[in-house]
Amino acid sequence: SDVCSSDLIHYSAQHLLSVINNILDLSKVEAGKWHMAEDDVTLDELFDALLRLSNERASRENVRLAMKPGLPGAVVRGDKRTLIQIMLNLTINAIKFAGPDRLVDLGVRSTEDGGIAISIADHGDGMTHEELAKAMKPFDGPTSQLNRKKQDTGLGLPLAAAFAELHGGKVELKSAPGFGTTAILVLPPARVRLAP
């Protein structure tokens, strides 16, 4: 309906403004001057926001986002806007490189130390070790012609990694040519409260 479309446009526009501000403030992150708004947010809230923001892009590129259930009731302590941005950047990348099955898998699990690992996996071409290293550098990206056509500013992964580090976490990439790529946001136990 028109109301739903209007709501989504407004929601997306508001978040786009946040994205632009985050990019402009990347220098603050690198200088150690970024201020995080600490709050408690449920994993359900984070994934709901992620799906709202990425569904239109996925639909436009004929990609299906498949959410695997996991860790109901888990709560994360951190900057909600920034956490969503990390997950969104990783998901948009996965959509761009989705592969022939046009599927992106979203999942979450607890880690051995009591933290969490949020995974976003595509089934595309995958990357070599060298391409993985380049993908984490701003304004750079994988070297293949196919991948080069799909790159934008190259800020998505480096920005996600910088924001993850602000939370004491990290972004890991697992990939191999022909086997797709899995991006994993790992958050430490100090940032997580799992349901009993």
Side-chain angles (χ1 to χ4, degrees):
S1 74
D2 289 342
V3 174
C4 287
S5 297
S6 176
D7 287 348
L8 184 56
I9 289 168
H10 177 74
Y11 187 85
S12 297
Q14 287 292 103
H15 200 270
L16 179 58
L17 181 60
S18 297
V19 172
I20 292 168
N21 287 333
N22 281 345
I23 291 172
L24 292 174
D25 286 332
L26 184 55
S27 60
K28 289 183 184 177
V29 176
E30 292 172 344
K33 295 180 179 178
W34 179 265
H35 173 70
M36 285 209 309
E38 297 275 348
D39 203 359
D40 286 344
V41 56
T42 68
L43 272 179
D44 286 345
E45 287 178 87
L46 291 176
F47 277 108
D48 285 349
L50 173 67
L51 292 172
R52 286 188 70 183
L53 290 164
S54 57
N55 265 333
E56 192 272 336
R57 175 70 178 263
S59 177
R60 192 166 73 236
E61 299 203 22
N62 195 30
V63 171
R64 185 167 63 88
L65 302 175
M67 180 71 209
K68 296 178 180 177
L71 307 184
V75 174
V76 175
R77 180 78 181 168
D79 185 322
K80 181 178 178 180
R81 185 183 73 172
T82 306
L83 289 167
I84 292 169
Q85 190 60 51
I86 297 168
M87 294 166 64
L88 182 62
N89 287 10
L90 300 180
T91 302
I92 293 301
N93 259 23
I95 290 169
K96 286 193 290 188
F97 299 103
D101 66 358
R102 312 312 292 157
L103 180 68
V104 169
D105 293 313
L106 308 173
V108 60
R109 61 176 174 79
S110 57
T111 57
E112 288 182 7
D113 63 1
I116 59 167
I118 295 168
S119 62
I120 293 131
D122 68 56
H123 302 216
D125 294 336
M127 290 185 276
T128 64
H129 181 73
E130 292 75 18
E131 287 173 330
L132 280 173
K134 288 192 76 170
M136 295 305 289
K137 295 178 183 174
F139 307 106
D140 213 335
T143 54
S144 78
Q145 278 304 113
L146 175 64
N147 287 348
R148 199 178 284 281
K149 289 176 186 174
K150 294 183 181 183
Q151 286 295 313
D152 43 37
T153 64
L155 277 173
L157 288 173
L159 192 57
F163 285 149
E165 287 170 15
L166 286 177
H167 288 83
K170 60 186 175 179
V171 169
E172 298 177 343
L173 295 180
K174 295 183 178 178
S175 188
F179 291 95
T181 301
T182 300
I184 306 163
L185 167 60
V186 181
L187 294 173
R191 290 281 175 188
V192 179
R193 190 169 74 248
L194 299 173

